Amino acid sequence: MVEEIVMPIDDAIEYIRNNVEINDILELSYNRIFAPGEVLNIIEEDEETGEGLRVNLQLTGEILNQSVEVDLNEIRDDLLEFRHIHDGIEKVIEIK
């Protein structure tokens, strides 16, 4: 069963900060990019550099299978939705 939730971007970033753990599956949809992958690391904001909450993902795909770091502050205006899978529980968060 998939739970669908609609929330503003600030709440969505807080959701990721508080609920997403290493080894969870996180599928980000932003701009024209779909980035599904396993969470390798979550890095808190850095006030000195201005970087926002960052998520390292090991991408899962047939062509691309590499790790990337996504700064949620940089994509906040383009983030459309994300899917979070933890212990078999799947949630789709849509950004309003």
Side-chain angles (χ1 to χ4, degrees):
M1 183 169 152
V2 177
E3 182 180 354
E4 296 183 16
I5 305 167
V6 178
M7 62 180 63
I9 186 63
D10 291 330
D11 292 346
I13 290 174
E14 281 303 310
Y15 174 91
I16 291 173
R17 176 182 288 110
N18 297 324
N19 297 291
V20 175
E21 299 175 3
I22 294 173
N23 297 325
D24 286 358
I25 301 298
L26 189 63
E27 300 174 350
L28 299 171
S29 295
Y30 60 98
N31 202 351
R32 294 183 181 177
I33 297 170
F34 174 67
E38 179 180 341
V39 176
L40 299 174
N41 198 8
I42 299 173
I43 304 164
E44 292 293 326
E45 291 90 343
D46 187 339
E47 292 182 20
E48 285 185 28
T49 64
E51 294 175 317
L53 183 69
R54 291 163 285 154
V55 178
N56 289 336
L57 295 173
Q58 177 70 42
L59 296 179
T60 53
E62 293 180 21
I63 298 173
L64 291 175
N65 192 13
Q66 63 186 14
S67 62
V68 296
E69 182 176 277
V70 179
D71 184 332
L72 296 175
N73 194 40
E74 287 185 10
I75 67 165
R76 71 182 293 120
D77 294 335
D78 297 323
L79 188 61
L80 304 171
E81 73 175 25
F82 61 89
R83 181 178 308 264
H84 175 223
I85 303 170
H86 175 77
D87 289 340
I89 299 170
E90 188 172 344
K91 294 183 182 180
V92 175
I93 294 21
E94 182 182 337
I95 310 304
K96 68 173 182 177

